Amino acid sequence: MQAKKRYLTLLSAGTCLVLLLYLGGVWLRAARRTPPGSRHGPRPGAERPWPRFPDALRPFAPAERPGPEGGGGRVSPRQRRDASAGLYRGRRCRMESCFDFSQCRKNGFKVYVYPQQKGEKIAESYQNVLAAIEGSRFYTSDPGQACLFVLSLDTLDRDQLSPQYVHNLRSKVQSLHLWNNGRNHLIFNLYSGTWPDYTEDVGFDIGQAMLAKASISTENFRPNFDVSIPLFSKDHPRTGGEKGFLRFNTIPPLRKYMLVFKGKRYLTGIGSDTRNALYHVHNGEDVVLLTTCKHGKDWQKHKDSRCDRDNAEYEKYDYREMLHNATFCLVPRGRRLGSFRFLEALQAACVPVMLSNGWELPFSEVIDWNQAAVIGDERLLLQIPSTIRSIHQDKILALRQQTQFLWEAYFSSVEKIVLTTLEIIQDRIFKHISRNSLIWNKHPGGLFVLPQYSSYLGDFPYYYANLGLKPLSTFTAVIHAVTPLVSQSQPVLKLLVAVAKSQYCAQIIVLWNCDKPLPAKHRWPATSVPVIVIEGESKVMSSRFLPYDNIVTDAVLSLDEDTVLSTTEVDFAFTVWQSFPERIVGYPARSHFWDNTKERWGYTSKWTNDYSMVLTGAAIYHKYYHYLYTHYLPASLKNMVDQLANCEDILMNFLVSAVTKLPPIKVTQKKQYKETMMGQTSRASRWADPDHFAQRQSCMNTFASWFGYMPLIHSQMRLDPVLFKDQVSILRKKYRDIERL
C-alpha cells in the first residue's frame, strides 16, 4: 500500500516537471522570435516577462468606454489635465522632488526678485506684489543668497484677450540665466485661459516652478507645492487695507436678508449652469439672488425669456446695502472657479456660501474654512436655503467673527496675501518649526507668530487661555541708561532700589547706552535680586528692545533711567499685566489724532482721559515683543528711530496694537510722572529737546504709512486698585501707598 503511494507521488512530480519544461521552452522561443529583417530584439508590442508601468502614480479609475464610432467617450479628468500640458508638465512635483532645500538651510528663507527688464510693462497689481516682497524681511538683492526666486515678468493676467497680457513669455522666461527649469521659482497668477473654455494654462512651460494661483482646481492643484490665493481686484490696497465691517456683535446675529447674491448671469459657455439656476431659490424676501444678462458686447443675441425680468429686478437693489445687511452671501463660480464676491463677503462679515465645485479654496493648506464659510455643492443648489436656516445662531456668530479675523489677518491687502504665501512656503521648508493649525486659525494669526522664536505655544502671550496656562509670576526690569553715573543720588539708582524691592522682581538688567565707560561694580547699590549690566554694542535706541538671552521671565518692565516709580506702583502694574499679558500695561499715556487742516496724524501729550499709547519709559509687556520688534519690523523704521534717538516707544505701541487689535492699558492716574518728566532740564533728557515733539509727529505719520493704516486704538479705561480714593480707612487698602504719591 505504501509502495503504491510512493509510485503515485513520483508520477505526479514527473508530470509537473515535464509541463514546466514544455511551457518554459515555448516562452523562450517566443521571446527570441524576431520579425523578418530585424536584428535588434523583439518588435514593439511583443510579449514581455513583466509589464511596464510608465505612470507609477496612475490613479485606480475605470477607463472611459469608447463611443459607438470607436472614438473616445466623454473627456476624463486626466485627459483634461493633459490638455494643459504646458502648465502641468510638472504636475507630480512636490517639495521633496522639485525643490532644492540646500540654499534655504544655508542662508535662511530669502526671496530674490529679478530686476525689471527694459521695455517690459508691468500692471499695477503685479507691481504691488513685487513691492510687497521687496519690502518684506525675506527680500534679498543677492541671488546667491536666495532660496526662492520671483519673476519680474508680469504673469498675473494670462488671458490672451486682456490688455495686460504679456506676449512671448515662453521665450523670455527660458532666457533667464537663473531659471533652471523653474526650480525654486514662484509664479503668481490671477487669470489664466480665455474664451470659451478658460483653461488653467498660463501659456508657458512652468517647469518645476511653484504656482501661487487664483481659481485653481483641486484636480490641478499640487498639494504642499502650489499655493491657492484669492482672486483680488486691481483696486485691492497694497498695504493695510480696510478693516472688516463687523463693528459689534448683534445677538441674535441675524440680519435683514438670510442669503443674497448679485452678479452676472452667463447664458452660454462654462460657468453658466449654476447662475442660470439661481432664480429657483430666489424668493424676493429674505433670499435675494439677482442676476443680469446685460454684460458683454452681444448679450442681446443670446438673451433668453427671463433676461428682461431679471434685469429689471437686478436694478431694484443696491449691492452694498444687501451685502451689509445679509447673514449669508452666495459665492457661485463665474467663468473661472474663483470670484471677487469671496473677499467682498469676508470683509462684510457675511458668511460665504461656496458654490464652486472643485475650487481649491485660498490658503486651504493652513486655513480651516469650515470655521468661516459654508461649503455647498452646485448639484444641491435647491437645498442651500434649508441648510443655512438650520445653522444655530451661536454657530452663525462664530462664523461671522472668523470671517473678520481671516479678512484682517490674511486678505485685506496685497501685502498680506503675498506674505501669507511666503510664510506657507517657509513652513514647508522648515517643517520642524512650522506653525500649526491653531496658530493660523486663531488671533493674531500666522503672520505675527514667528516660529523661529519658539515652537511652544506657551512661549507666546496669545495662547495662555487655550493651553490653560498663566504667565510666569515674576518679571525682568530693563533700565535704559544713557547718562554717566556721577552721583549716588541720581534717579537711576533710586529707581533700581525701588524696583528691586518688588516681590515680583526676578532680576534687573541695566542697558548701558552711555558713551562713558561702565561704572565700577561698587557704584551700584546692593539689592536682593541680581543686577546685570549690559553694555550696548551699537548704543542706539532700538537696542533697548533687543531679545536678550538674559531675559528669562515672560514679563519685561521697561524703564527709562529718569523714571520715578515706587515699589507699590510696580507691584500693582505687574498684577494688572498678568490679566492682560498680550498688551502693554503702564503709567505714562499719550494719544494720537487726525489733523484735518494738515491732513496728517498728530501727537499729543495733553493730560486727558483719552489715550492710545502707553510709553515704554514705565510699562510692562511680554518679552516676545522684543523679538517681534527686532525681526518683524523693517530696518528702515528702526534706522529712523536710531538716527533721531526718538520714537522707539511709539513704534512699539504701533506694533503691539497692530498685532492685538487692542489698545494698551493705563493704570492709576499719576500726575507726578508727568510733572517730573516735564521738569527735566538736563541736556541728556529727551524731553528738554525742542525738536522732540516735532520729531514724534513725523514718526507717527511714517509709521502709519508703512503699516498702511493707523493701528493705534483709543481707550478711556484706567485700572485703579480696589478702594482707590474711596473714603475708607487706609488700612483696608492693599496698595495704600499709591494714593500718597
Side-chain angles (χ1 to χ4, degrees):
M1 188 67 183
Q2 291 181 353
K4 186 177 180 180
K5 288 182 178 179
R6 286 195 298 269
Y7 173 77
L8 290 174
T9 302
L10 290 173
L11 181 62
S12 300
T15 304
C16 291
L17 182 61
V18 170
L19 286 173
L20 287 173
L21 290 173
Y22 173 76
L23 293 175
V26 171
W27 179 84
L28 287 172
R29 286 193 300 273
R32 291 174 180 172
R33 188 181 300 127
T34 59
S38 174
R39 300 181 181 179
H40 304 288
R43 69 182 183 274
E47 295 179 8
R48 297 177 183 271
W50 296 101
R52 291 183 61 188
F53 298 100
D55 187 359
L57 299 178
R58 188 184 185 99
F60 292 96
E64 297 288 339
R65 293 186 177 181
E69 299 299 325
R74 77 183 160 83
V75 181
S76 69
R78 182 175 182 81
Q79 290 172 320
R80 287 199 298 270
R81 291 198 300 269
D82 290 342
S84 301
L87 175 58
Y88 295 106
R89 192 164 297 166
R91 62 179 174 268
R92 297 190 191 93
C93 272
R94 299 297 183 267
M95 294 295 289
E96 295 76 13
S97 59
C98 296
F99 193 88
D100 182 4
F101 292 85
S102 59
Q103 282 294 96
C104 309
R105 290 166 178 163
K106 178 182 177 182
N107 301 315
F109 186 65
K110 298 294 182 183
V111 184
Y112 174 77
V113 177
Y114 283 82
Q116 185 174 350
Q117 299 181 15
K118 187 176 181 180
E120 288 293 339
K121 62 179 182 179
I122 300 180
E124 183 180 359
S125 293
Y126 197 58
Q127 288 177 359
N128 291 339
V129 170
L130 299 183
I133 298 173
E134 292 171 349
S136 73
R137 66 183 187 280
F138 303 123
Y139 176 70
T140 179
S141 58
D142 181 4
Q145 297 289 318
C147 162
L148 190 67
F149 298 82
V150 176
L151 303 179
S152 63
L153 297 166
D154 191 345
T155 57
L156 278 191
D157 194 341
R158 300 303 298 153
D159 186 338
Q160 296 179 16
L161 300 180
S162 170
Q164 308 296 338
Y165 181 80
V166 177
H167 295 274
N168 304 318
L169 194 56
R170 184 191 307 268
S171 59
K172 293 175 181 177
V173 169
Q174 295 296 332
S175 66
L176 298 173
H177 69 284
L178 297 173
W179 175 242
N180 191 25
N181 194 32
R183 201 170 183 86
N184 286 46
H185 280 67
L186 176 64
I187 295 172
F188 287 89
N189 176 253
L190 293 182
Y191 307 98
S192 60
T194 189
W195 172 268
D197 50 3
Y198 294 92
T199 67
E200 296 180 29
D201 186 3
V202 296
F204 67 98
D205 181 10
I206 66 171
Q208 297 179 343
M210 290 181 284
L211 273 175
K213 180 172 172 51
S215 304
I216 190 169
S217 66
T218 54
E219 285 183 327
N220 293 322
F221 180 76
R222 296 167 293 181
N224 295 316
F225 192 71
D226 293 331
V227 180
S228 177
I229 63 175
L231 182 66
F232 58 87
S233 70
K234 62 181 181 179
D235 299 323
H236 205 57
R238 185 177 72 83
T239 60
E242 294 183 16
K243 292 184 178 181
F245 296 152
L246 184 62
R247 294 291 180 260
F248 52 88
N249 294 317
T250 56
I251 306 295
L254 302 178
R255 294 175 171 177
K256 178 180 178 181
Y257 303 108
M258 175 60 70
L259 178 67
V260 301
F261 171 75
K262 187 177 183 181
K264 300 175 182 177
R265 177 161 71 89
Y266 305 109
L267 300 173
T268 60
I270 189 170
S272 60
D273 294 345
T274 300
R275 297 195 180 194
N276 277 341
L278 294 183
Y279 77 98
H280 291 294
V281 183
H282 169 77
N283 64 18
E285 297 177 359
D286 63 342
V287 178
V288 180
L289 307 179
L290 308 171
T291 59
T292 180
C293 311
K294 194 183 298 184
H295 58 88
K297 297 179 180 179
D298 54 352
W299 68 273
Q300 290 184 332
K301 295 180 182 179
H302 304 284
K303 64 182 294 187
D304 56 20
S305 58
R306 290 198 346 259
C307 275
D308 291 336
R309 183 171 65 254
D310 286 353
N311 292 343
E313 188 83 357
Y314 186 88
E315 298 297 333
K316 293 180 181 178
Y317 292 83
D318 178 73
Y319 175 63
R320 290 293 170 185
E321 189 271 337
M322 291 171 58
L323 193 64
H324 294 180
N325 290 281
T327 305
F328 295 92
C329 285
L330 196 68
V331 184
R333 65 161 298 158
R335 291 300 192 192
R336 299 176 178 88
L337 293 173
S339 168
F340 292 130
R341 298 293 181 266
F342 180 67
L343 289 187
E344 292 169 354
L346 278 185
Q347 183 182 11
C350 186
V351 180
V353 178
M354 312 305 301
L355 278 185
S356 185
N357 292 7
W359 181 23
E360 188 73 23
L361 294 180
F363 305 138
S364 55
E365 184 176 334
V366 296
I367 293 178
D368 181 3
W369 283 109
N370 290 318
Q371 297 183 23
V374 176
I375 313 300
D377 191 317
E378 293 179 69
R379 298 166 297 184
L380 303 176
L381 171 64
L382 299 181
Q383 297 182 14
I384 293 296
S386 59
T387 299
I388 61 176
R389 292 183 195 278
S390 68
I391 300 176
H392 195 272
Q393 294 181 0
D394 293 346
K395 178 65 174 177
I396 293 175
L397 180 60
L399 290 169
R400 293 182 63 194
Q401 290 173 336
Q402 190 69 0
T403 63
Q404 299 301 274
F405 160 67
L406 294 177
W407 164 258
E408 295 186 10
Y410 307 119
F411 298 107
S412 62
S413 68
V414 175
E415 179 185 52
K416 289 180 181 177
I417 294 172
V418 171
L419 290 180
T420 304
T421 302
L422 297 181
E423 293 282 8
I424 290 173
I425 296 173
Q426 181 183 217
D427 274 5
R428 296 172 184 169
I429 297 170
F430 303 102
K431 289 184 178 179
H432 61 291
I433 57 171
S434 61
R435 283 153 282 213
N436 60 27
S437 179
L438 176 64
I439 293 176
W440 284 106
N441 292 280
K442 294 291 184 182
H443 184 79
L447 298 187
F448 286 120
V449 178
L450 306 186
Q452 294 81 4
Y453 174 73
S454 176
S455 58
Y456 175 52
L457 292 182
D459 289 335
F460 297 92
Y462 318 111
Y463 308 108
Y464 290 127
N466 298 94
L467 300 175
L469 300 175
K470 293 182 179 180
L472 295 177
S473 58
T474 56
F475 65 82
T476 297
V478 179
I479 301 176
H480 187 228
V482 294
T483 56
L485 199 60
V486 295
S487 169
Q488 292 300 112
S489 61
Q490 284 184 227
V492 65
L493 299 181
K494 296 179 180 179
L495 177 64
L496 194 149
V497 171
V499 172
K501 290 180 180 179
S502 171
Q503 59 180 315
Y504 305 112
C505 183
Q507 61 180 352
I508 298 175
I509 295 176
V510 178
L511 180 60
W512 191 256
N513 268 354
C514 179
D515 295 331
K516 301 295 182 180
L518 280 173
K521 286 187 178 181
H522 70 272
R523 300 289 302 277
W524 300 103
T527 60
S528 58
V529 298
V531 177
I532 304 170
V533 182
I534 300 176
E535 186 168 12
E537 295 181 4
S538 54
K539 299 188 184 300
V540 294
M541 293 303 300
S542 294
S543 64
R544 71 183 301 175
F545 296 138
L546 288 175
Y548 295 105
D549 293 334
N550 305 83
I551 302 175
V552 295
T553 59
D554 292 332
V556 175
L557 172 60
S558 178
L559 298 165
D560 286 342
E561 63 178 0
D562 47 7
T563 298
V564 179
L565 280 181
S566 69
T567 304
T568 305
E569 289 174 306
V570 171
D571 286 348
F572 177 66
F574 179 71
T575 302
V576 172
W577 177 85
Q578 287 180 301
S579 298
F580 306 94
E582 76 281 10
R583 296 159 81 170
I584 298 177
V585 176
Y587 287 94
R590 299 291 183 268
S591 188
H592 74 286
F593 64 95
W594 178 253
D595 190 334
N596 285 318
T597 58
K598 298 181 180 179
E599 294 188 345
R600 64 198 304 262
W601 294 106
Y603 171 88
T604 178
S605 59
K606 290 183 178 180
W607 199 255
T608 66
N609 291 330
D610 186 271
Y611 66 93
S612 58
M613 292 173 279
V614 167
L615 305 187
T616 55
I620 302 177
Y621 49 80
H622 198 280
K623 70 174 180 178
Y624 174 61
Y625 292 123
H626 277 207
Y627 188 89
L628 206 59
Y629 184 99
T630 302
H631 296 283
Y632 178 81
L633 295 175
S636 59
L637 297 188
K638 291 180 287 188
N639 290 338
M640 177 183 181
V641 165
D642 295 338
Q643 291 171 4
L644 296 176
N646 195 354
C647 303
E648 81 289 350
D649 47 359
I650 298 178
L651 184 54
M652 178 60 86
N653 274 271
F654 266 70
L655 176 62
V656 176
S657 291
V659 174
T660 62
K661 307 295 188 294
L662 294 168
I665 294 177
K666 176 176 170 53
V667 290
T668 308
Q669 190 81 309
K670 179 177 171 59
K671 292 187 177 181
Q672 181 179 347
Y673 187 93
K674 177 196 176 192
E675 293 163 357
T676 304
M677 292 295 98
M678 294 299 103
Q680 293 287 344
T681 56
S682 66
R683 292 186 178 182
S685 174
R686 292 180 290 164
W687 304 88
D689 186 352
D691 296 328
H692 179 79
F693 192 82
Q695 289 174 351
R696 293 171 82 79
Q697 297 263 22
S698 177
C699 286
M700 289 196 62
N701 287 276
T702 302
F703 299 161
S705 175
W706 184 83
F707 279 92
Y709 70 107
M710 171 52 73
L712 297 179
I713 300 172
H714 287 279
S715 175
Q716 293 184 344
M717 182 178 74
R718 191 186 83 214
L719 297 184
D720 298 330
V722 176
L723 301 179
F724 180 70
K725 298 291 186 180
D726 284 359
Q727 299 300 318
V728 297
S729 171
I730 197 73
L731 298 177
R732 297 176 61 186
K733 301 181 180 182
K734 181 177 181 179
Y735 300 100
R736 60 189 68 135
D737 293 340
I738 292 181
E739 295 189 21
R740 299 170 182 167
L741 300 174

